Amino acid sequence: MTDDRLPTLLHSEPYWTVLAMREQGSRFYRALGDALEAADLTNRRRIYLTWTDELWDFYKRGLRLEEAERGSGEG
């Protein structure tokens, strides 16, 4: 894990990460995405600390989803 991942995750809007988890994740990650969406900042931090590598992967997938939507002119 690099030192910049946690601050990046904490300062990002979770929408795209959650969307990637819902669309591309297993049942477990879909549920974790729901928890992330519902979490306040304290609990979001706990989720990010516990699952940093996995959420970083979904964060990057979410960036690609966002970019694809912007490129399609829908967003």
Side-chain angles (χ1 to χ4, degrees), residues 30-49:
R30 289 191 304 267
L32 188 57
D34 290 342
L36 181 63
E37 182 180 51
D40 61 16
L41 185 58
T42 300
N43 288 315
R44 189 178 298 157
R45 181 178 181 77
R46 286 182 182 141
I47 292 169
Y48 286 144
L49 280 169

Side-chain angles (χ1 to χ4, degrees), residues 13-25 29-30 33-34 36-37 58-59 61-66 69:
E13 169 58 48
Y15 173 81
W16 292 104
T17 302
V18 170
L19 184 63
M21 294 175 89
R22 286 181 177 153
E23 290 185 357
Q24 301 172 5
Y29 287 115
R30 289 191 304 267
D34 290 342
L36 181 63
E37 182 180 51
F58 283 107
Y59 167 75
R61 293 180 194 195
L63 291 177
R64 289 190 294 270
L65 289 174
E66 181 180 19
E69 184 171 308

